[in-house]
């Protein structure tokens, strides 16, 4: 009540005999400035005849509030901001009768529009001091009209609007390669300050056409890989002896490799359609069905490839080191683990909505969740298999070395039962190497590829964040 009484008393004091006693409580002058010429076409109130329009605008210029600076502010903020500056700096004189006038000060709704639309932008510009306190007094009245005038309610305030369509915000533009937000464009995390990062953003970090050529070459290589993996898969499907253990493991591995390679069809048909929904919005599983399908296939095939690769390594170890064919009768267990693991990882990725495009030409799990959902589960499977393969390698190396050292001695002596067993085991190891060396090399190459890809995704991709704009656009 005290604040309301103070406001009413101040307004009444200003209104009664304002023009007749201008020197005592202020005076009315014509606006002759330039900053607000598109908003002010009325007589303005100044607190003293010694205060001129030029002096008021000089104070604004001292705060770096010039037409050129305001024109650089995005349109969503510049309009409300210039209305706030002009209405609060130049109160309106409204005649209410012969020799009597009222003074209309800035509207609270205008102040609130600035606080809503400009707070984040002014923070980015490094000018949080310009964000108004709509519950406090109007800054221009804090010292001249004790104890200060509060922002006024609608209908009793100095509401402004552009006098012409050529307002100060018309000069705002987004420097290339940024693109402006246009009416009707949906919100996007790649937009800030009414400017958007074009999609795909990485293309603008290199010389024109460089990434197009690079991605085209990698897609061609993937297409060639797809053809060869298809031939391998069909060969193992058609040849009878390749559908039984242990060749069946390579068949299942080849199926996963083919699924991994076949996703190249999506970017080959339309690269940009996989990367972006429109000119500035990256693809996600929520806004691009093709991205969701391709991403799910890639995740499933990647995990499945690693799973069957691990199965190959474990089988080689059992067969070579322990002379065991235990997995030959446990394919139900292998199918449950390998396919089940791939389905589980894919389901988690889709269920959490993390499939999206972030780099290159394919959709995958977002960088933020990639390790948790994708790479750590694969690491729990791949690295133990790698250690098993190392153990197998050292066993083969030891047997081979012993075979070379003992071959001459054993050939000159009568073989005991134990010596015969050793020779039999060595022959078994060498036969296993002869039969499965291709599968072993393929498994090692797959492990190295996954490890390399993981290191790139984990270490290098985080250095590129195209969704962050500069603090402000000049």
């Amino acid at each position: 009540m005290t604040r309301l009484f103070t406001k009413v008393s101040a307004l009444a004091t200003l209104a009664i005999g304002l023009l007749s006693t201008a020197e005592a409580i202020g005076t009315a002058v014509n606006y002759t400035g330039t900053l607000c010429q598109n908003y002010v076409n009325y007589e303005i109130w100044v607190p003293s005849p010694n205060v001129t329009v030029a002096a008021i605008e000089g104070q604004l210029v001292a705060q770096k509030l010039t037409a050129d600076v305001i024109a650089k502010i995005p349109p969503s903020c510049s309009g409300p901001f210039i209305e706030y500056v002009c209405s609060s700096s130049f109160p309106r004189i409204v005649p209410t009768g012969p020799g009597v006038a009222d003074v209309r000060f800035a509207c609270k709704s205008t102040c609130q529009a600035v606080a809503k639309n400009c707070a984040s932008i002014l923070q980015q510009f490094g000018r949080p001091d310009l964000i108004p306190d709509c519950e406090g007094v109007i800054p221009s009245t804090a010292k001249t009209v004790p104890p200060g005038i509060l922002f006024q309610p609608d209908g009793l305030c100095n509401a402004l609007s552009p006098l012409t369509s050529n307002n100060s915000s018309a000069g705002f533009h987004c420097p290339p390669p940024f693109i402006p937000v246009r009416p009707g464009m949906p919100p996007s995390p790649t937009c800030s300050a009414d400017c958007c990062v074009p999609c795909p953003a990485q293309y603008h970090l290199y010389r024109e056409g460089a990434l197009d050529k690079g991605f085209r070459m990698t897609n061609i290589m993937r297409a060639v890989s797809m053809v060869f993996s298809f031939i391998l898969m069909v060969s193992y499907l058609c040849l009878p002896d390749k559908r039984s253990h242990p060749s069946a493991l390579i068949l299942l591995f080849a199926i996963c490799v083919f699924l991994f390679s076949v996703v190249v069809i999506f970017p080959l048909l339309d690269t940009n359609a996989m990367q972006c929904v429109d000119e500035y919005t990256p693809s996600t599983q929520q806004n691009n069905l093709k991205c969701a399908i391709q991403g799910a296939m890639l995740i499933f095939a990647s995990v499945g490839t690693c799973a069957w690769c691990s199965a190959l390594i474990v089988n080689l170890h059992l067969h070579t080191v322990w002379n065991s064919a235990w997995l030959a009768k446990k394919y139900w267990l292998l199918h449950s683990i390998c396919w089940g693991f791939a389905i589980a990882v894919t389901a988690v990725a889709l269920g959490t909505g993390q499939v999206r495009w972030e780099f290159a030409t394919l959709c995958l799990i977002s960088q933020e969740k990639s390790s948790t959902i994708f790479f750590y589960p694969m690491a729990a499977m791949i690295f133990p298999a790698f250690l098993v393969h190392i153990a197998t390698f050292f066993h083969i190396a030891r047997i081979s070395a012993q075979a070379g050292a003992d071959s001459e001695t054993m050939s000159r002596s009568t073989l005991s039962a134990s010596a015969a067993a050793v020779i039999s085991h060595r022959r078994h190891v060498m036969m296993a190497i002869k039969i499965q060396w291709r599968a072993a090399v393929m498994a090692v190459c797959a492990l190295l590829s996954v490890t390399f890809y993981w290191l790139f995704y984990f270490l290098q991709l985080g250095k590129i964040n195209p969704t962050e704009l500069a603090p402000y656009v000049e």
Side-chain angles (χ1 to χ4, degrees):
M1 290 299 294
T2 302
R3 176 176 291 183
L4 178 61
F5 177 79
T6 302
K7 180 173 67 173
V8 173
S9 299
L11 286 174
T13 302
L14 291 170
I16 297 174
L18 176 62
L19 297 181
S20 59
T21 59
E23 293 188 4
I25 60 173
T27 186
V29 299
N30 292 323
Y31 177 75
T32 57
T34 58
L35 178 63
C36 300
Q37 61 183 349
N38 197 47
Y39 290 87
V40 178
N41 63 347
Y42 52 80
E43 281 192 312
I44 66 171
W45 176 87
V46 293
S48 166
N50 298 324
V51 178
T52 64
V53 173
I56 295 174
E57 292 198 348
Q59 294 177 357
L60 297 175
V61 170
Q63 300 178 55
K64 297 183 179 181
L65 294 179
T66 63
D68 290 339
V69 171
I70 294 176
K72 294 180 180 179
I73 300 176
S76 61
C77 169
S78 60
F81 187 74
I82 190 65
E83 291 172 11
Y84 161 75
V85 170
C86 293
S87 64
S88 60
S89 301
F90 303 108
R92 183 193 299 262
I93 296 290
V94 179
T96 57
V100 181
D102 196 2
V103 179
R104 300 290 176 88
F105 290 91
C107 303
K108 187 172 184 177
S109 59
T110 301
C111 177
Q112 292 170 336
V114 173
K116 176 182 178 181
N117 297 320
C118 300
S120 61
I121 294 175
L122 292 175
Q123 290 280 1
Q124 291 177 357
F125 269 77
R127 295 301 303 275
D129 57 298
L130 296 179
I131 303 174
D133 177 13
C134 300
E135 300 299 327
V137 300
I138 301 172
S140 61
T141 69
K143 297 180 180 179
T144 58
V145 186
I149 298 297
L150 299 175
F151 288 96
Q152 304 297 292
D154 290 344
L156 299 174
C157 61
N158 185 20
L160 298 184
S161 59
L163 301 178
T164 66
S165 60
N166 298 321
N167 57 54
S168 61
S169 65
F172 177 80
H173 67 280
C174 297
F178 301 108
I179 57 176
V181 176
R182 285 185 279 277
M185 291 174 68
S188 172
T190 62
C191 296
S192 178
D194 284 351
C195 286
C196 300
V197 178
C199 183
Q202 289 90 344
Y203 282 46
H204 300 278
L205 301 177
Y206 301 86
R207 67 180 184 275
E208 186 176 358
L211 287 187
D212 277 324
K213 294 179 182 178
F215 291 150
R216 191 178 303 113
M217 293 175 61
T218 57
N219 287 337
I220 291 173
M221 294 174 64
R222 286 183 180 137
V224 173
S225 175
M226 177 188 68
V227 173
F228 283 113
S229 63
F230 178 75
I231 295 173
L232 178 65
M233 179 184 68
V234 172
S235 299
Y236 272 77
L237 283 172
C238 295
L239 297 175
D241 61 328
K242 299 299 183 181
R243 296 197 297 268
S244 59
H245 184 80
S247 296
L249 293 174
I250 302 178
L251 168 61
L252 294 168
F253 178 82
I255 292 173
C256 290
V257 172
F258 172 72
L259 291 176
F260 179 85
S261 302
V262 80
V263 297
V264 74
I265 292 177
F266 290 88
L268 275 178
L269 296 177
D270 191 346
T271 300
N272 190 256
M274 291 305 304
Q275 298 168 321
C276 309
V277 179
D278 49 41
E279 57 185 336
Y280 69 96
T281 305
S283 295
T284 67
Q285 68 176 78
Q286 291 82 8
N287 60 28
N288 190 338
L289 180 60
K290 290 187 291 185
C291 177
I293 296 173
Q294 178 265 303
M297 289 179 59
L298 184 58
I299 295 168
F300 177 83
S302 299
V303 178
T305 299
C306 293
W308 287 109
C309 176
S310 300
L312 271 170
I313 291 174
V314 171
N315 179 73
L316 178 64
H317 179 80
L318 293 175
H319 184 66
T320 302
V321 178
W322 304 103
N323 194 21
S324 172
W326 184 79
L327 286 180
K329 299 180 181 181
K330 300 295 181 180
Y331 268 75
W332 63 269
L333 179 62
L334 287 175
H335 284 294
S336 299
I337 294 175
C338 296
W339 297 126
F341 194 66
I343 292 172
V345 173
T346 306
V348 171
L350 292 173
T352 55
Q354 295 298 318
V355 176
R356 64 191 61 180
W357 174 85
E358 288 186 329
F359 74 102
T361 60
L362 298 174
C363 292
L364 195 59
I365 300 175
S366 67
Q367 179 208 347
E368 181 184 3
K369 298 293 183 180
S370 61
S371 294
T372 304
I373 296 176
F374 190 60
F375 288 114
Y376 288 157
M378 282 203 301
M381 172 178 54
I382 283 292
F383 285 108
F386 183 73
L387 295 177
V388 169
H389 192 68
I390 293 296
T392 305
F393 172 80
F394 279 109
H395 176 78
I396 293 173
R398 181 174 60 83
I399 293 296
S400 299
Q402 289 180 357
D406 298 342
S407 58
E408 184 177 353
T409 302
M410 288 189 174
S411 63
R412 296 179 179 178
S413 61
T414 302
L415 296 177
S416 64
S418 60
V422 170
I423 292 177
S424 176
H425 177 65
R426 289 172 180 169
R427 288 177 178 174
H428 165 76
V429 170
M430 301 309 294
M431 182 62 66
I433 295 173
K434 183 178 180 180
I435 295 175
Q436 298 201 35
W437 72 268
R438 297 174 184 86
V441 171
M442 184 168 57
V444 172
C445 290
L447 285 172
L448 294 177
S449 298
V450 171
T451 303
F452 176 81
Y453 190 75
W454 183 13
L455 290 175
F456 164 76
Y457 211 87
F458 187 70
L459 299 177
Q460 296 299 322
L461 186 61
K463 298 178 181 179
I464 303 176
N465 192 351
T467 62
E468 290 187 1
L469 291 175
Y472 55 88
V473 180
E474 294 186 357

